[in-house]
Amino acid sequence: MAKYTIELRNVIDMFGEATVKSWFSDYELSDYLTDEEIAVITARGVWNKDKLAQAIIDHYYIYEIGLETPALFAHQAKVLMRELMEEKAPLIYSAAIKYDPLVNVDYTETFDRTSGNHSSSNSTSTNNGSGLTVSSDTPQGQISKKSILQGNYASSTSANENENTIADQTTSDGNGTEEYTKRIKGNSGVSASAQRLIRQYRDNIIMINRDIIKDLNMLFMGVY
């Protein structure tokens, strides 16, 4: 039986459980966390506002409210929850992150190297050749090569002149890429032992709901 004000269970009877729970969930995680951080909490599935609100009214079910009227109590409950979540929401997010407590080293090293070569060569060669055969039945003295090539003063002639030019150019290019990736993951055994890492992991899993519930005790008389 209440001695000073009324117990929370009486407030629930007056306003309904859903309404009283809404006083302790009248905040948005988006006011304190990014969408990516909220997605991590949702994916983990171990915490939500409804569970916390239910835990609060279950814990303080037979406690007397610490304010004169239920309306003042509802107002202060909303204000205090928003103030607490500004501090606790990041902790809820960090507790929701999955990681292996036995792994204290996890990094990837990538090495890339590109090599290239270029070579070219040019060569040119020229060959010249000529030949002359003259047969004359009626020699008329000395005659010029030009006249001979024209067929003058000769019974028969044969001649040839040729010039060959060969040009050669060779170019070659080559490129190569080498990629090397190394990943190291595990317990280095330097900073902490496996037992210590597990203990640290357990210590980091803070009982967020329990801490929030304790911080709400200022809303109640502290007697039951």
Side-chain angles (χ1 to χ4, degrees), residues 92-207:
I92 294 170
Y93 162 69
S94 63
I97 298 175
K98 290 184 178 181
Y99 67 95
D100 189 342
L102 295 180
V103 173
N104 64 353
V105 175
D106 187 1
Y107 73 90
T108 300
E109 182 181 82
T110 302
F111 171 77
D112 294 310
R113 184 178 68 177
T114 301
S115 60
N117 60 75
H118 174 80
S119 63
S120 63
S121 63
N122 296 284
S123 63
T124 303
S125 62
T126 302
N127 296 319
N128 296 307
S130 63
L132 175 63
T133 302
V134 179
S135 175
S136 177
D137 296 332
T138 56
Q140 300 296 322
Q142 186 176 4
I143 57 178
S144 67
K145 179 180 178 182
K146 180 179 180 181
S147 297
I148 293 173
L149 291 175
Q150 292 176 348
N152 299 329
Y153 312 109
S155 299
S156 63
T157 63
S158 64
N160 64 79
E161 290 190 3
N162 60 73
E163 180 177 336
N164 297 321
T165 301
I166 301 174
D168 180 52
Q169 180 176 355
T170 303
T171 303
S172 64
D173 292 287
N175 293 293
T177 301
E178 179 183 355
E179 182 175 335
Y180 169 77
T181 301
K182 179 176 70 174
R183 182 182 182 187
I184 297 179
K185 180 179 180 180
N187 184 355
S188 65
V190 176
S191 60
S193 64
Q195 292 80 4
R196 183 179 176 185
L197 290 173
I198 294 175
R199 185 169 62 252
Q200 289 176 345
Y201 174 72
R202 290 172 177 171
D203 292 341
N204 289 336
I205 303 177
I206 303 172
M207 299 295 293

Side-chain angles (χ1 to χ4, degrees), residues 43-70:
R44 188 68 183 272
V46 296
W47 185 94
N48 61 59
K49 295 196 296 183
D50 289 338
K51 288 181 180 179
L52 174 58
Q54 186 65 54
I56 292 170
I57 64 174
D58 288 344
H59 180 85
Y60 290 108
Y61 188 71
I62 59 174
Y63 280 68
E64 293 184 40
I65 63 174
L67 292 103
E68 296 178 3
T69 65

Side-chain angles (χ1 to χ4, degrees), residues 23-44:
W23 300 343
F24 295 100
S25 57
D26 188 35
Y27 57 89
E28 296 296 334
L29 287 178
S30 57
D31 293 335
Y32 317 105
L33 302 173
T34 65
D35 292 340
E36 292 78 9
E37 292 170 337
I38 295 173
V40 171
I41 296 173
T42 303
R44 188 68 183 272

